[in-house]
């Protein structure tokens, strides 16, 4: 435990770790990365009659020429709180591969961003997935996250991209796939491109796992509360007194914006809210230069910031800070954006 298995190059199988014996084996707090196998199991190969338990570990950036770029399983394996990502082989193979008559338990784990199927099962296996995320696996846009043949496939309280349509598994003995309290959605990772698979506070995986747990290997790591949803930088005619922006509360809770700061990138552009105003969950709230609908373009303004902010027609950055001085959201626009005089800019969806 508490180790790194990395940069093995050219092992026949089990590039980082090869388990080949009878007994119970426990691996905890490991990073298995940057390994290569000529055949199976770029990161790990489990064989020899063992029961292998892996928890609180990361398996990433491993590769193999055949199945199991991350793990090749020939015995019983349990993955608990394991992140498996950025492993690669040919798309027709798999990230986690099972041979026949095995049991795979995946709990509180995140399998994402791998260049082949998340799981491929061959034969009479038992697969149990709970509180886990399978998302964005297989680089050629094939829709399947899990494929092959098995005896049982039990999916509980998990996110599977494309839902049941993301599963191509034939079950023996006339069994049916169990897909219980599971979802098909974007998990809203904080920064998947940067391999940060913690969750936004508004992720559909937060609190929706078994017994109210989160799905996946990681907890909340970033927050959205107020989002700049729409703004008018270039009103018709004279801009004075007609500019405005709309925010929306996406947090799920009421937010008191007293002490929040609206800031532009122009010199000295700043407005601080100095009164208790509660923006309710899901509420849209408009801040503007002028609340007089007869002169501001008939916009219903909830809070007036006057001339303290003047949006440039050619572009600038709009920033919202919370009452602790932390940035909540920002929009950086320029004159290449498709807005015209009298036309506002808006998000297609405030959740990205």
């Amino acid at each position: 435990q508490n180790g790194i298995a990395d940069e093995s190059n050219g092992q026949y199988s089990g590039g980082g770790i090869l388990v080949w014996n009878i007994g119970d084996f426990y691996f905890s707090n490991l990073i298995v990365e940057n390994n290569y196998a000529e055949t199976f199991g770029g990161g790990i190969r489990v064989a020899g009659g063992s029961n292998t338990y892996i928890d609180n570990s990361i398996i990433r950036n491993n590769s193999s020429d055949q199945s199991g770029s991350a793990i090749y399983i020939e015995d019983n394996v349990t993955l608990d709180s394991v992140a498996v990502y950025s492993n690669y082989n040919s798309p027709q193979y798999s990230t986690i591969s099972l041979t026949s008559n095995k049991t795979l338990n995946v709990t509180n784990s995140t399998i994402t961003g791998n260049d082949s199927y998340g799981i491929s099962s061959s034969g009479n296996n038992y697969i149990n997935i709970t509180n886990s995320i399978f998302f964005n696996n297989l680089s050629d846009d094939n829709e399947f996250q899990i494929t092959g043949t098995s005896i049982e496939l039990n999916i509980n309280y998990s996110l599977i991209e494309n839902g049941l349509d993301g599963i191509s598994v034939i079950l023996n003995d006339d069994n049916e796939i169990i897909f219980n309290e599971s979802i098909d959605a974007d998990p809203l990772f904080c920064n998947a491109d940067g391999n940060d698979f913690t969750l936004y506070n508004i992720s559909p995986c937060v609190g929706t796992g078994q017994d109210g747990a989160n799905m996946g290997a990681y907890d909340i790591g970033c927050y959205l509360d107020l989002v700049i949803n729409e703004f008018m930088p270039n009103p018709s005619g004279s801009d004075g007194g007609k500019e405005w922006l709309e925010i929306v509360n996406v947090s799920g809770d009421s937010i008191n914006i007293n002490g929040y700061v609206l800031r532009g990138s122009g010199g000295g552009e700043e407005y601080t809210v100095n009164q208790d105003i509660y923006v309710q969950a899901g509420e849209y709230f408009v801040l503007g230069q002028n609340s007089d609908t007869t002169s501001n373009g008939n916009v219903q303004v909830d809070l007036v910031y006057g001339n303290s902010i003047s949006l440039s027609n050619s572009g600038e950055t709009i920033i919202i800070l919370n009452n602790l001085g932390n940035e909540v959201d920002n929009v950086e626009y320029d004159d290449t954006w498709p807005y015209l005089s009298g036309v506002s800019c808006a998000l297609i969806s405030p959740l990205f």
Side-chain angles (χ1 to χ4, degrees):
Q1 62 178 11
N2 300 319
I4 297 176
D6 71 344
E7 297 187 359
S8 170
N9 186 20
Q11 289 286 103
Y12 181 76
S13 65
I17 297 173
L18 175 60
V19 177
W20 193 282
N21 212 332
I22 297 173
D24 294 338
F25 295 87
Y26 297 86
F27 298 94
S28 183
N29 299 306
L30 292 182
I31 298 176
V32 182
E33 64 181 359
N34 305 324
N35 301 289
Y36 164 67
E38 295 176 5
T39 56
F40 310 109
I44 301 170
R45 181 182 179 186
V46 176
S50 65
N51 296 301
T52 298
Y53 304 87
I54 304 171
D55 68 75
N56 295 293
S57 295
I58 296 171
I59 305 171
R60 65 188 178 196
N61 301 328
N62 302 286
S63 64
S64 61
D65 287 343
Q66 297 183 41
S67 288
S69 58
I71 314 173
Y72 190 74
I73 298 172
E74 296 172 83
D75 285 308
N76 301 323
V77 170
T78 294
L79 304 178
D80 187 355
S81 302
V82 176
V84 180
Y85 61 88
S86 299
N87 300 283
Y88 52 96
N89 50 14
S90 296
Q92 73 266 28
Y93 294 123
S94 59
T95 303
I96 300 172
S97 180
L98 287 81
T99 59
S100 189
N101 300 309
K102 306 300 179 285
T103 297
L104 171 63
N105 299 309
V106 181
T107 305
N108 303 316
S109 294
T110 298
I111 291 83
T112 187
N114 301 287
D115 283 353
S116 54
Y117 301 111
I119 294 176
S120 177
S121 172
S122 301
N124 297 324
N125 296 309
Y126 296 83
I127 303 172
N128 303 297
I129 299 171
T130 306
N131 286 0
S132 294
I133 298 170
F134 283 75
F135 186 78
N136 193 32
N137 298 295
L138 196 58
S139 61
D140 65 356
D141 295 325
N142 189 296
E143 64 181 5
F144 301 127
Q145 301 292 306
I146 305 171
T147 187
T149 59
S150 187
I151 291 286
E152 291 184 3
L153 175 56
N154 301 313
I155 301 173
N156 295 287
Y157 298 94
S158 294
L159 184 150
I160 309 295
E161 185 177 13
N162 298 317
L164 283 170
D165 289 335
I167 301 168
S168 176
V169 175
I170 298 172
L171 296 185
N172 301 325
D173 297 341
D174 295 324
N175 290 329
E176 294 184 358
I177 295 171
I178 303 300
F179 197 77
N180 176 51
E181 299 294 337
S182 296
I183 59 175
D184 167 23
D186 186 330
L188 299 184
F189 296 130
C190 288
N191 182 11
D193 290 341
N195 297 328
D196 178 2
F197 302 109
T198 55
L199 304 172
Y200 270 98
N201 60 308
I202 58 170
S203 166
C205 300
V206 172
T208 52
Q210 191 170 36
D211 298 325
N214 296 338
M215 297 176 184
Y218 300 110
D219 287 327
I220 295 171
C222 50
Y223 292 82
L224 277 179
D225 50 22
L226 297 179
V227 172
I228 300 171
N229 184 62
E230 188 175 1
F231 64 99
M232 172 66 80
N234 187 15
S236 297
S238 173
D239 289 3
K242 299 178 186 177
E243 294 177 353
W244 52 269
L245 64 90
E246 177 187 72
I247 59 176
V248 57
N249 178 358
V250 298
S251 73
D253 297 309
S254 174
I255 297 174
N256 184 356
I257 62 172
N258 193 0
Y260 276 55
V261 175
L262 175 63
R263 180 179 294 169
S265 57
E269 289 189 320
E270 185 170 294
Y271 172 79
T272 301
V273 180
N274 59 7
Q275 57 184 303
D276 287 334
I277 299 176
Y278 290 85
V279 181
Q280 302 303 315
E283 180 182 359
Y284 292 80
F285 188 89
V286 177
L287 301 90
Q289 291 181 323
N290 176 14
S291 61
D292 184 354
T293 57
T294 64
S295 60
N296 72 0
N298 199 32
V299 177
Q300 299 292 329
V301 171
D302 300 300
L303 179 65
V304 175
Y305 57 76
N307 294 321
S308 54
I309 306 290
S310 179
L311 302 178
S312 170
N313 292 349
S314 60
E316 66 174 287
T317 302
I318 310 168
I319 302 169
I320 298 178
L321 307 175
N322 65 16
N323 52 13
L324 298 177
N326 299 320
E327 183 174 308
V328 171
D329 194 24
N330 77 78
V331 173
E332 182 179 357
Y333 69 97
D334 59 33
D335 57 9
T336 65
W337 282 39
Y339 64 86
L340 304 171
S341 177
V343 178
S344 64
C345 293
L347 294 175
I348 296 174
S349 168
L351 301 180
F352 311 97

